[in-house]
Amino acid sequence: MERELLLTNRLGLHARASAKLVQAMSRYRSTVTLAAKGREVNAKSIMGVMLLAAGPGTSVLLRADGDDAAAAIEEATALFERRFDEDS
């Protein structure tokens, strides 16, 4: 499964947002990757996600493969839509 997502939070995938995403994706057995700017990284690796240097307005492609892929995609989508809870 895959879904294209847009970073709409103020700072993009900075340290805190990356950590939230990695923590959420690490709960799933599925292989989860994130692709942007010609790179694809393991979405369960904080260094990998931060290496993308994806700023606000960047479109990213989230891919998940495995038994719980749909749930992983849904949780990640919700996190992106909530702007990584940075507005509260």
Side-chain angles (χ1 to χ4, degrees), residues 11-39:
L11 298 173
L13 280 177
H14 59 93
R16 189 173 302 130
S18 294
K20 281 189 174 201
L21 179 63
V22 168
Q23 184 177 35
M25 295 302 97
S26 293
R27 291 194 288 268
Y28 296 96
R29 290 183 309 276
S30 294
T31 300
V32 186
T33 61
L34 198 59
K37 301 161 124 184
R39 288 189 178 136

Side-chain angles (χ1 to χ4, degrees), residues 21-75:
L21 179 63
V22 168
Q23 184 177 35
M25 295 302 97
S26 293
R27 291 194 288 268
Y28 296 96
R29 290 183 309 276
S30 294
T31 300
V32 186
T33 61
L34 198 59
K37 301 161 124 184
R39 288 189 178 136
E40 186 166 357
V41 299
N42 180 350
K44 297 178 184 182
S45 163
I46 187 73
M47 293 306 290
V49 173
M50 289 186 66
L51 184 67
L52 287 177
T58 302
S59 179
V60 298
L61 184 63
L62 182 73
R63 288 191 182 108
D65 184 36
D67 296 345
D68 52 4
I73 295 276
E74 289 308 312
E75 183 168 355

